[in-house]
Amino acid sequence: MTALAADDGVRTRPRSAWSRVWPAGLGLLVAAATVLGLADGREVAPVVVASGLVYLAAAVVGRRWAAWPAFGVTLVVMTAAKLADLDASVVLLACAGLLLVVGLALQRWLPVWGYPVQAAAMLVLAALALVAIQISPTAGGLVVAAALLAHAAWDVHHHRTGRVVSRSLAEFCCGLFDGLGPEHVELEPVSAAQRAEALHVRYRVRHAA
């Protein structure tokens, strides 16, 4: 038993309706804000980096809740970069590199599914993001979509096992990637208004009684 894994009490504790809804709902809201003004799928590459960064941060700190403050940092970085018309990937990659060094210095070798596995996942996601921003918009968007789809499966696994990050964070990521998924694999140009409307309709369908 480690601080990176949930105990049986956490797994079986009843959850209110609100606690089951807000993480995914927040993820969809962040997805909506992300797709507004999106020119092509390569612009979502920072989200790929951030998705690995929050897991890596929790693994280095050794606490599941640490993923949420890490997400807050990535959100600030991406928002500031978007307002300044800059690529947030560079800053996020630098943060990831710092965390990798800190994890090595602290010798976070156990549990294996903690820092070692999350560090490897971070390297893979960083490589995919770098590839995506260097190629064509269509190909780059497909690389980003594949990376987010893979990380959605990663989220589901960690949600089921209760490892590394809090379940609410895993649910948030699933909502985020669910909202982003179809937006950046479009082969035809789509306006910001059309993207927002598509996401709104999708949300209503998913949450219909």
Side-chain angles (χ1 to χ4, degrees):
M1 174 62 188
T2 74
L4 286 176
D7 59 23
D8 292 337
V10 175
R11 292 180 181 181
T12 59
R13 183 180 303 160
R15 299 178 63 188
S16 66
W18 170 247
S19 68
R20 292 193 297 268
V21 170
W22 77 261
L26 179 61
L28 286 170
L29 288 175
V30 174
T34 301
V35 301
L36 289 177
L38 195 67
D40 66 69
R42 296 174 301 177
E43 295 179 21
V44 189
V47 177
V48 174
V49 180
S51 66
L53 184 60
V54 294
Y55 274 77
L56 180 61
V60 171
V61 174
R63 294 291 185 274
R64 297 164 66 235
W65 56 259
W68 275 113
F71 161 72
V73 172
T74 63
L75 183 62
V76 170
V77 169
M78 289 189 290
T79 301
K82 188 172 184 178
L83 293 175
D85 197 23
L86 299 174
D87 185 2
S89 299
V90 176
V91 178
L92 294 175
L93 286 170
C95 292
L98 178 60
L99 284 173
L100 288 170
V101 172
V102 172
L104 288 172
L106 296 176
Q107 299 184 351
R108 300 285 197 190
W109 308 124
L110 294 175
V112 175
W113 44 260
Y115 172 76
V117 170
Q118 303 308 322
M122 182 72 254
L123 292 174
V124 171
L125 291 170
L128 290 174
L130 288 173
V131 168
I133 61 179
Q134 297 297 325
I135 56 181
S136 68
T138 298
L142 290 173
V143 170
V144 168
L148 294 181
L149 179 62
H151 204 277
W154 194 248
D155 292 319
V156 171
H157 168 72
H158 287 83
H159 183 272
R160 288 177 177 173
T161 60
R163 292 176 173 176
V164 184
V165 300
S166 60
R167 284 191 170 87
S168 60
L169 191 283
E171 292 167 0
F172 163 81
C173 289
C174 286
L176 173 63
F177 299 154
D178 184 50
L180 288 176
E183 309 310 283
H184 52 260
V185 295
E186 298 280 355
L187 300 182
E188 298 295 331
V190 179
S191 69
Q194 289 172 314
R195 292 177 187 274
E197 177 62 21
L199 189 58
H200 177 61
V201 170
R202 193 162 181 228
Y203 176 85
R204 289 186 315 205
V205 171
R206 282 181 58 85
H207 291 80

